Structure formats: C-alpha cells, structure tokens
Amino acid sequence: MWRNEGTTRKLARIALLSAVAIVLSIMENALTDLVGFALPGCKIGLANSAVLLALYTVGLWGGAFVGLVKILTSFFATGSVTVLWFSLAGTVLSVCGMWLLLAFAGRWFSATGISGAGAVLSNWGQLAVMCLLGESGLYLYYLPLLTVFGALLGSLVGFVTGLIVQRVPLFHGKKSEL
Amino acid sequence: MSGNPEVGPSKQKKIWGKLIKPADLLLVLFLVAVSVAALFLIPRGGDVVEVTLGGKTVWKGSLTEEKTIFVEGKYHNTVCVGEGSVWVEDSDCPGEDCVHMGKISGGQIACAPNGMLVRILTEGEGGADIVAE
C-alpha cells in the first residue's frame, strides 16, 4: 500500500507510531505492575500493535525501528538489563516472523493471525533467553502455556488493531493526514 | 488491476480484509501444536544418576546406560541402572525399604541404615535460579 508516498511521509509515520509504541509500552508496564500477572514474561503486548501497524504501513525497517523504540522504552521504564535481553530476543524474533508472514503469505492471513504468531514468537524468544540465562532446559516445560497465552493475547491485539485501521480514517490511503 | 494508483478506503479495507481468516486459526493452532510437540523433544538423556554414600559420591552417570553398582558401607546395596530407571536390586540392610522403592525415573531412593542415597538429577538442576522481572 502507500507505494507512492514519499520518504517524509514514511518518516512521519514511523515517528508517530514510535510515539504510540512508547505510550503503549509505559501503559503496559503500569498495567503489569497493577494486575501483577502471575506469569513472568507474560504481557498483553499492547505495544505490539504499533509494531504491527508499522510493518503493515512502512515495511520491515519501519517495524524494526518501532520495535527498537519499544525495547528501549521498556528498558528505561524498568531499568533492568535482564528485561532488555528478554525484550530484545522477543522483539527481533516477532518482527522478523511477522514480516516474513506478511511478505510471503500476507494474502492468507489477517492482522489477527499475524499478530498472534508474532506474540508467540516473542514469547519463544524470551523463553530461549530464559533457558540461556538460567543454563537450564527445564524452562521449556513452560512453553505450551506461554504459547497459548501469547496466541490468545496477540490475536486479540491484532484483531483490535485491525478494527482500528478499518474504523479510523487516519489510516486510509493518500487522503490521510498521517 | 485497474491501473488506478489511488489507494482509497476500499482498497485499504481489502488489504486488511476480514479481520479473522481461516488461515489465522490454522497458524495459531499450528504454533500451539509445535509448542506441545517440543515438550516431547526435550532431551531426556540429560538425566544423571548420582549414588552417594555418607554424602560422598560413589558413582555418577547417565540414566540411559546399563550399570550395576555395589555400594559397600555398613550394609551392602546393589544399585542397578538401566532402561531409563534406577532401582536397588538387593540390600542386606534391615527393612530393605530401598528395595521396596522399586524402579524410579525421577526423584530419589534412600537407604537410611546404610547412609546411601540414589538421586536422579535433571539436567540444569541446581543451576542458577533466575527470576524474570
């Protein structure tokens, strides 16, 4: 889509989506503290919505940049290097995975499935880091649970993102102000 | 198709399409299936048997090998390892609780009178405990 738009437009789009990612990341951190999700590493993945939008509207590098912003935000918000490694692994995997799905099988999947797969990949990446840091394969028993949660929450986020894109004129083509 | 470069709401709707497609469900179910399947691929050969007598390690080896260990203490235990499990074949200790424990593939067998302990260590156990923040 937006093939005809200029670099400036793309830049503006990335900047805007980065801002969205920052806000959602901070909101997410607050939410996680508030609700105190029993599962470590299990988040709703709200900020993934911005990454998804960037992938759809700007492409791989847009998604990667917004993903990077998301990682740095959660790093600065928590100040934990462990969190940095977790989110780095998760985001790299999920951005690459979602982009591959979008680029090569985009016509079969909607945002719901792609976001769900992205969330699952993100959780897999985090679990891999967990195993490496803990030098233990035992954490793998956690895999199905994390996958189910990732699939459910990720799909939900993707679905809502899709709804927003359909309803908000901002995302509609050339006439958009974005 | 029509050669119209204009990307309007209709085109936009088409790209995002229906919000849930059949393939989405398949994709997600596939990933869940992969994760469950991966559980069975966790290497079980990593399990290690450790036999200690009075706190000292007498023998340590893989659970997958075939081995008979004679533990000579105050009493005598014959510990057998094989087919992914470990058991005390014979003992001259009073009570012979260790023999009655039967074959185990996890946990431990203790022979209190002899001070003998057979433990199965899962790979990575005893390593650093990390807590995700």
Side-chain angles (χ1 to χ4, degrees):
Chain A
M1 58 192 93
W2 289 297
R3 273 208 189 85
N4 302 322
E5 71 183 356
T7 315
T8 318
R9 222 165 236 274
K10 280 187 179 174
L11 211 60
R13 207 182 292 278
I14 291 178
L16 196 117
L17 289 172
S18 296
V20 170
I22 290 173
V23 171
L24 288 179
S25 276
I26 292 172
M27 255 175 71
E28 172 120 54
N29 274 317
L31 267 179
T32 311
D33 286 346
L34 199 72
V35 184
F37 270 92
L39 292 166
C42 191
K43 299 197 291 181
I44 308 172
L46 286 176
N48 197 42
S49 172
V51 176
L52 189 68
L53 274 175
L55 276 175
Y56 264 100
T57 60
V58 190
L60 177 61
W61 296 113
F65 186 85
V66 175
L68 187 71
V69 168
K70 190 187 87 173
I71 293 170
L72 289 178
T73 310
S74 58
F75 175 50
F76 289 136
T78 60
S80 157
V81 184
T82 320
V83 166
L84 181 67
W85 290 121
F86 276 113
S87 51
L88 191 66
T91 308
V92 166
L93 257 186
S94 91
V95 167
C96 291
M98 288 196 292
W99 180 74
L100 283 175
L101 280 174
L102 205 54
F104 296 105
R107 40 195 292 230
W108 293 299
F109 301 115
S110 72
T112 310
I114 287 175
S115 172
V120 167
L121 284 173
S122 164
N123 281 350
W124 286 5
Q126 296 192 358
L127 197 67
V129 171
M130 215 170 181
C131 288
L132 284 177
L133 284 182
E135 289 175 2
S136 166
L138 278 182
Y139 295 108
L140 285 178
Y141 288 105
Y142 206 34
L143 192 68
L145 199 63
L146 271 182
T147 307
V148 169
F149 269 92
L152 286 177
L153 294 171
S155 301
L156 192 67
V157 167
F159 181 75
V160 173
T161 309
L163 267 184
I164 292 171
V165 167
Q166 280 195 349
R167 303 292 160 89
V168 179
L170 202 67
F171 293 102
H172 291 165
K174 278 192 151 179
K175 286 168 201 149
S176 93
E177 295 297 315
L178 183 61
Chain B
M1 272 178 277
S2 58
N4 181 8
E6 191 75 24
V7 182
S10 57
K11 177 86 190 263
Q12 187 62 38
K13 215 152 199 167
K14 213 170 167 186
I15 290 166
W16 285 83
K18 281 185 287 175
L19 284 176
I20 299 179
K21 293 182 183 176
D24 293 335
L25 203 65
L26 288 177
L27 176 66
V28 167
L29 285 179
F30 170 73
L31 289 171
V32 171
V34 166
S35 77
V36 174
L39 266 194
F40 296 101
L41 295 178
I42 297 175
R44 301 296 306 168
D47 288 349
V48 167
V49 184
E50 187 191 47
V51 181
T52 56
L53 182 67
K56 285 186 194 124
T57 303
V58 177
W59 184 80
K60 198 171 179 177
S62 170
L63 193 56
T64 51
E65 61 187 284
E66 303 272 333
K67 179 89 182 167
T68 304
I69 307 116
F70 299 100
V71 183
E72 313 276 332
K74 192 173 164 194
Y75 300 98
H76 308 84
N77 310 114
T78 308
V79 181
C80 294
V81 183
E83 290 161 8
S85 59
V86 59
W87 65 98
V88 179
E89 181 74 34
D90 190 37
S91 176
D92 58 0
C93 62
E96 295 186 27
D97 286 338
C98 46
V99 179
H100 296 140
M101 287 286 292
K103 297 189 175 188
I104 61 160
S105 52
Q108 58 186 39
I109 301 176
C111 178
N114 203 14
M116 194 240 8
L117 186 65
V118 178
R119 281 202 300 168
I120 294 178
L121 309 168
T122 306
E123 194 181 16
E125 198 175 305
D129 272 8
I130 61 152
V131 178
E133 285 166 75

